[in-house]
Amino acid sequence: MKRNIVLSGFMGTGKSTVGKALAQRLGWGFVDTDEQIELLSGMKISKIFSEFGEDVFRRFETLIVFNVSRLSNYVISVGGGTLINPYNREILSKNSLIITFMAQPEVIYSRVCSNRDRPLLNLGREDLILERIRDLLEKRMKYYSMSDFILDTSFKEIFELVDEIIDQIYNIVF
Ligand code: S3P
């Protein structure tokens, strides 16, 4: 029995924004694993990356994934790299339906380019960001496709995405 909904997918695909609206519609709780990592570590994600490196960030991430995987009736927004780790995938999928958000690289770029708190896209050169997004998306596609379903969020309003998710859940459950 799946008790939660996990929203996965690349940075800038709308996981947190849609996740909050979805949780409200379902009357469920909402939790964002990146926010939990910042609370637990007392540091911004960019600081964890710059001071301790990505490996330490990933360890915090798995710890938080373990904690949230035991929740019930929660929409859980996870970071864009969370599902790459097979252990994270395994513990999340036991108790949660996994939905992956996709978006076109140009749309992702327009959503993330003004935000400096995404260390994997902080390249110091604007002109390289779009290329980096394309490259990471391609590398991660096989992990993202290991989810219950995928939604393209490129040109949709929040309420449309919430409706689509609720329709899909209904199809899966009934
Ligand atoms: C990451 C995505 C970020 C955050 C960290 C690493 C990734 O989360 O977890 O910067 O590996 O794609 P969002 O997808 O919520 O931006």
Side-chain angles (χ1 to χ4, degrees), residues 9 11 15 34 45 49 57-58 61 79-81 118-120 140:
M11 297 167 262
K15 292 165 291 184
D34 285 339
I45 289 188
F49 267 76
F57 169 77
R58 296 296 171 198
E61 186 173 55
R118 290 200 162 97
L120 293 179
R140 291 177 168 188

Side-chain angles (χ1 to χ4, degrees), residues 83-100:
L83 290 194
I84 290 170
N85 178 333
Y87 176 77
N88 293 346
R89 269 202 316 273
E90 190 190 322
I91 51 176
L92 284 173
S93 59
K94 271 193 187 133
N95 205 15
S96 309
L97 191 80
I98 300 192
I99 304 174
T100 292

Side-chain angles (χ1 to χ4, degrees), residues 3-173:
R3 299 174 198 282
N4 305 304
I5 294 175
V6 166
L7 299 184
S8 140
F10 204 77
M11 297 167 262
T13 51
K15 292 165 291 184
S16 299
T17 318
V18 176
K20 282 180 195 149
L22 177 64
Q24 205 170 22
R25 268 282 276 288
L26 295 169
W28 285 13
F30 173 79
V31 66
D32 179 314
T33 54
D34 285 339
E35 272 176 27
Q36 294 300 310
I37 292 167
E38 291 189 340
L39 281 173
L40 179 72
S41 65
M43 285 179 277
K44 297 293 284 178
I45 289 188
S46 49
K47 173 127 185 195
I48 305 176
F49 267 76
S50 63
E51 301 249 320
F52 302 101
E54 183 170 349
D55 282 358
V56 169
F57 169 77
R58 296 296 171 198
R59 275 186 236 160
F60 274 122
E61 186 173 55
T62 293
L63 193 63
I64 295 297
V65 161
F66 178 72
N67 289 344
V68 298
S69 70
R70 294 179 297 173
L71 294 168
S72 287
N73 296 346
Y74 264 80
V75 175
I76 303 166
S77 169
V78 300
T82 309
L83 290 194
I84 290 170
N85 178 333
Y87 176 77
N88 293 346
R89 269 202 316 273
E90 190 190 322
I91 51 176
L92 284 173
S93 59
K94 271 193 187 133
N95 205 15
S96 309
L97 191 80
I98 300 192
I99 304 174
T100 292
F101 283 3
M102 290 301 294
Q104 293 178 9
E106 295 76 10
V107 172
I108 293 175
Y109 176 76
S110 70
R111 290 177 185 166
V112 300
C113 63
S114 58
N115 187 327
R116 297 271 149 242
D117 203 32
R118 290 200 162 97
L120 293 179
L121 301 178
N122 258 349
L123 307 175
R125 270 183 56 187
E126 286 299 302
D127 57 320
L128 294 180
I129 297 177
L130 186 57
E131 206 178 305
R132 171 88 166 142
I133 292 171
R134 288 205 180 98
D135 183 50
L136 272 179
L137 267 175
E138 201 184 305
K139 289 197 175 107
R140 291 177 168 188
M141 207 43 222
K142 61 172 181 284
Y143 305 105
Y144 290 153
S145 53
M146 291 179 206
S147 47
D148 292 294
F149 63 92
I150 298 179
L151 275 183
D152 189 333
T153 67
S154 300
F155 304 108
K156 288 193 179 128
E157 301 289 338
I158 298 168
F159 77 91
E160 290 178 280
L161 289 160
V162 170
D163 284 350
E164 266 187 54
I165 293 170
I166 289 173
D167 279 356
Q168 292 271 12
I169 299 170
Y170 193 84
N171 287 335
I172 289 172
V173 173

